[in-house]
Amino acid sequence: MYGTKRLGEWLIQKGKITPEQLQTALETQQLTGERIGKVLIDLDYITHEDYYEAQAEQYDVPYEPLSEQTIESARSVASLISQSVASRYFVVPLRQEGAFLWVATADPNNIEALDYLRQAMGYLIQVCYSPAERILSAINKLYGASYETTEAELLESEPDDTFDDTFEESDDLAQVQETINQPPIIRLVNGILHEAIERGASDIHFEPGEHRLQVRVRIDGVLLTLRTIPRSAQAPVIARIKLMAEMDITERRKPQDGRFSIRLGERKVDARVSSLPTVFGERIVLRLLDRTASLRSLEQLGMPEPIAQHLLQLASRPWGMILVTGPTGSGKSTTLYALLQKIRSDKRNILTCEDPVEYTIEGIGQSQVNEKVGLTFASQLRAILRQDPDVVLVGEIRDRETAEIACRAAMTGHLVLSTLHTNDATSAPARLVDMEIEPYLINSSLLGVLAQRLVRKLCERCQQPVIHAGCGWLPQGMTLYEPSGCDACNHTGYKGRIGMYELFVISDAVRRQIHHSADNDQVRACAPPGTLYPMEEHARHLVQAGITSVEEVLAHLNWRPAQHDVA
């Protein structure tokens, strides 16, 4: 692990500089504001090699300059580590000596990377230290990667006041601004974005730590490590993303939001960006949205036939409100888009109010919320209702004002579609009451509620059969399937996701309960047969059909014995 002795003390101990030279450098630093390592180099007291040797000594590993000759000789072992692994973990294979494989890395303390190499390669790993910019250059030369760098391009972001790598709010902004437009940083960030998109990620997390920046991606609802980046490149990488999202890179103590678009061949992907200050620097999360992805139909969503039929019957009504509920990222917008495609026609004026517009649908008027200029869901919904709509889609009901306008619109001859955050379908009326919506408004407007979750599908290549021991939910002796793991599914056992649905049709009996502000259990218990298709029923079907596993279903299911099936 890193020590805490300052750079100057280490250089004096190694005989690289004198105490007088260190004092001169410190006085110069007071005038220039530069980091002490850069000042010592600028004063010609030390060389870049002296600085890198000091880094290696502090890591307690050999220093590897990665000369042209070393890189040329490394070609014989380059095939032992793939380009993707080398780029992900910032490592370069150097040579093989018996059972040992020597590698150069910018982060010798990255235990995760070293463990992965040992297990994947089958060698004992010996480590040398090389600076990040030379690692990038060596990867470029060995594998033909699209990295370009020059000597010490990343030096200015190196933590050279101390070797403990703790976050400093005083990072030189001018240095960061210079670095973020350098080719290595641009290509590094673009490479992460491209890899995440190619792997089908929905989110990218840049998570600063004490000694490194970890990059994780959410694939099929699960976070997986994409790569780790040396602490020295953290500030310019974070600043680069903020610059792309048109965020204020000078503001690092307050949360910010932004967005940008990126093209990958014929694909156009939008990224919504959120920053959050943490003790080790700004944490960045990107939500990815593929604008060019084809819209999915209700059939493609895997919705059970009874639910799809009842949902379409509700959507054929001339007025009323249909809600889709579920947690963030459960596919609510995708379901609403699929429903819009089913009901659109030349005889209907369909308008939407979204944040943001995720997909464009021909023949539908779509508008986007912009709260920065005061265009909220409520204000935009008022404007939409003056456009003579037949069907209105409200991206999300977030507050009382939007909820009340939506309910009144549904009472006055409009079909309103929207989303709400609740755990299940029968919780929606109580949630609206909590938002101070009068029960009579709910009873006069609400037609039905669809609740959904997304569960991972078992990988068809590696799923393993197992005899079920039996429980109250599934009978004993059934052949079910469980995850195993292979290259096709990134060794998770799952590949892709499918919806798990529950439909609740509002009946007169339920309206009487809503009128008396009944809670969720009371509302659910009084649902007449043919008005509630419980999520447990769909979950049971998905498990019995071998589409997903019992464990995956139970992880997303609030267990409750099934009540009444939709007829």
Side-chain angles (χ1 to χ4, degrees), residues 135-271:
I135 294 290
L136 290 174
S137 178
I139 292 174
N140 178 37
K141 294 171 182 176
L142 279 176
Y143 302 100
S146 58
Y147 293 119
E148 295 178 5
T149 189
T150 58
E151 181 72 18
E153 277 186 313
L154 300 179
L155 174 62
E156 292 181 338
S157 63
E158 288 280 0
D160 52 21
D161 279 341
T162 65
F163 286 92
D164 61 0
D165 250 353
T166 53
F167 172 67
E168 298 180 33
E169 283 288 352
S170 60
D171 284 347
D172 192 327
L173 182 61
Q175 294 176 356
V176 172
Q177 288 174 324
E178 290 179 7
T179 310
I180 58 178
N181 290 317
Q182 294 295 325
I185 295 301
I186 294 174
R187 288 180 168 83
L188 175 58
V189 171
N190 288 349
I192 292 171
L193 293 174
H194 288 180
E195 184 176 355
I197 293 169
E198 288 290 349
R199 294 179 64 176
S202 61
D203 303 83
I204 309 176
H205 292 233
F206 292 82
E207 303 168 342
E210 185 175 1
H211 299 304
R212 63 190 60 88
L213 176 68
Q214 180 173 247
V215 182
R216 295 197 294 171
V217 292
R218 189 176 296 279
I219 300 175
D220 294 335
V222 178
L223 281 172
L224 304 171
T225 299
L226 185 68
R227 66 178 69 184
T228 54
I229 296 173
R231 179 71 171 82
S232 59
Q234 174 179 313
V237 165
I238 296 298
R240 178 67 193 172
I241 297 168
K242 291 175 67 178
L243 183 68
M244 295 171 68
E246 298 184 353
M247 299 158 69
D248 184 0
I249 67 172
T250 66
E251 178 56 76
R252 294 182 286 183
R253 301 188 181 186
K254 294 181 181 179
Q256 295 186 65
D257 294 298
R259 61 184 61 190
F260 64 88
S261 297
I262 183 172
R263 285 199 174 274
L264 187 59
E266 296 298 320
R267 300 168 67 183
K268 181 182 180 182
V269 178
D270 288 345

Side-chain angles (χ1 to χ4, degrees), residues 153-396:
E153 277 186 313
L154 300 179
L155 174 62
E156 292 181 338
S157 63
E158 288 280 0
D160 52 21
D161 279 341
T162 65
F163 286 92
D164 61 0
D165 250 353
T166 53
F167 172 67
E168 298 180 33
E169 283 288 352
S170 60
D171 284 347
D172 192 327
L173 182 61
Q175 294 176 356
V176 172
Q177 288 174 324
E178 290 179 7
T179 310
I180 58 178
N181 290 317
Q182 294 295 325
I185 295 301
I186 294 174
R187 288 180 168 83
L188 175 58
V189 171
N190 288 349
I192 292 171
L193 293 174
H194 288 180
E195 184 176 355
I197 293 169
E198 288 290 349
R199 294 179 64 176
S202 61
D203 303 83
I204 309 176
H205 292 233
F206 292 82
E207 303 168 342
E210 185 175 1
H211 299 304
R212 63 190 60 88
L213 176 68
Q214 180 173 247
V215 182
R216 295 197 294 171
V217 292
R218 189 176 296 279
I219 300 175
D220 294 335
V222 178
L223 281 172
L224 304 171
T225 299
L226 185 68
R227 66 178 69 184
T228 54
I229 296 173
R231 179 71 171 82
S232 59
Q234 174 179 313
V237 165
I238 296 298
R240 178 67 193 172
I241 297 168
K242 291 175 67 178
L243 183 68
M244 295 171 68
E246 298 184 353
M247 299 158 69
D248 184 0
I249 67 172
T250 66
E251 178 56 76
R252 294 182 286 183
R253 301 188 181 186
K254 294 181 181 179
Q256 295 186 65
D257 294 298
R259 61 184 61 190
F260 64 88
S261 297
I262 183 172
R263 285 199 174 274
L264 187 59
E266 296 298 320
R267 300 168 67 183
K268 181 182 180 182
V269 178
D270 288 345
R272 284 183 284 173
V273 185
S274 171
S275 72
L276 179 70
T278 70
V279 293
F280 295 119
E282 288 182 286
R283 191 180 192 276
I284 299 286
V285 175
L286 281 69
R287 167 63 58 88
L288 301 177
L289 178 65
D290 191 346
R291 287 286 191 100
T292 55
S294 59
L295 290 170
R296 304 179 72 181
S297 66
L298 289 178
E299 293 79 13
Q300 290 173 325
L301 296 177
M303 190 176 292
E305 186 63 24
I307 289 184
Q309 288 180 356
H310 281 78
L311 185 61
L312 287 173
Q313 288 174 9
L314 294 177
S316 66
R317 303 277 187 88
W319 58 269
M321 182 165 64
I322 301 172
L323 296 177
V324 179
T325 74
T328 301
S330 60
K332 299 187 295 295
S333 296
T334 301
T335 298
L336 286 177
Y337 280 124
L339 186 58
L340 283 181
Q341 290 185 93
K342 279 287 188 181
I343 66 175
R344 66 175 176 173
S345 73
D346 294 338
K347 297 180 180 180
R348 273 181 153 178
N349 180 22
I350 302 177
L351 300 177
T352 74
C353 171
E354 306 173 61
D355 182 26
V357 173
E358 298 187 6
Y359 300 98
T360 56
I361 306 176
E362 187 177 353
I364 293 178
Q366 297 173 263
S367 58
Q368 186 162 298
V369 167
N370 188 349
E371 295 189 356
K372 291 182 179 179
V373 297
L375 191 59
T376 63
F377 273 116
S379 61
Q380 188 159 351
L381 182 53
R382 287 194 185 95
I384 285 175
L385 293 175
R386 294 192 290 270
Q387 294 283 312
D388 186 32
D390 297 298
V391 181
V392 177
L393 184 150
V394 184
E396 182 181 348

Side-chain angles (χ1 to χ4, degrees), residues 329-566:
S330 60
K332 299 187 295 295
S333 296
T334 301
T335 298
L336 286 177
Y337 280 124
L339 186 58
L340 283 181
Q341 290 185 93
K342 279 287 188 181
I343 66 175
R344 66 175 176 173
S345 73
D346 294 338
K347 297 180 180 180
R348 273 181 153 178
N349 180 22
I350 302 177
L351 300 177
T352 74
C353 171
E354 306 173 61
D355 182 26
V357 173
E358 298 187 6
Y359 300 98
T360 56
I361 306 176
E362 187 177 353
I364 293 178
Q366 297 173 263
S367 58
Q368 186 162 298
V369 167
N370 188 349
E371 295 189 356
K372 291 182 179 179
V373 297
L375 191 59
T376 63
F377 273 116
S379 61
Q380 188 159 351
L381 182 53
R382 287 194 185 95
I384 285 175
L385 293 175
R386 294 192 290 270
Q387 294 283 312
D388 186 32
D390 297 298
V391 181
V392 177
L393 184 150
V394 184
E396 182 181 348
I397 293 179
R398 297 177 179 174
D399 51 47
R400 178 184 179 277
E401 186 179 13
T402 305
E404 184 169 342
I405 297 172
C407 287
R408 293 190 182 278
M411 292 170 56
T412 56
H414 307 89
L415 180 65
V416 178
L417 311 176
S418 191
T419 68
L420 191 68
H421 286 283
T422 64
N423 289 326
D424 52 28
T426 52
S427 297
R431 175 72 183 112
L432 291 172
V433 171
D434 288 342
M435 297 173 74
E436 300 181 356
I437 303 302
E438 294 292 339
Y440 81 89
L441 284 177
I442 302 172
N443 282 336
S444 300
S445 60
L446 190 60
L447 298 176
V449 185
L450 179 77
Q452 64 183 70
R453 298 286 192 279
L454 286 179
V455 293
R456 292 180 295 171
K457 297 166 62 177
L458 285 166
C459 175
E460 296 181 359
R461 180 181 296 183
C462 66
Q463 59 181 349
Q464 297 291 330
V466 61
I467 303 300
H468 186 55
C471 62
W473 188 52
L474 290 168
Q476 184 178 5
M478 291 188 64
T479 299
L480 305 180
Y481 291 87
E482 61 183 17
S484 177
C486 64
D487 291 338
C489 60
N490 291 318
H491 299 280
T492 64
Y494 298 92
K495 189 172 184 180
R497 289 192 290 177
I498 191 171
M500 191 165 63
Y501 299 95
E502 171 175 281
L503 181 64
F504 179 43
V505 179
I506 306 300
S507 62
D508 289 339
V510 167
R511 289 190 175 93
R512 287 193 290 270
Q513 293 293 325
I514 295 173
H515 178 72
H516 293 96
S517 300
D519 61 24
N520 178 40
D521 290 335
Q522 293 172 315
V523 168
R524 196 174 190 92
C526 79
T531 63
L532 176 63
Y533 187 106
M535 192 172 289
E536 289 82 359
E537 289 299 314
H538 191 202
R540 183 183 292 112
H541 165 74
L542 293 175
V543 170
Q544 291 175 333
I547 296 173
T548 189
S549 66
V550 174
E551 293 77 14
E552 178 69 8
V553 160
L554 294 181
H556 292 82
L557 196 65
N558 291 323
W559 174 253
R560 183 190 296 105
Q563 300 288 330
H564 306 292
D565 291 356
V566 170

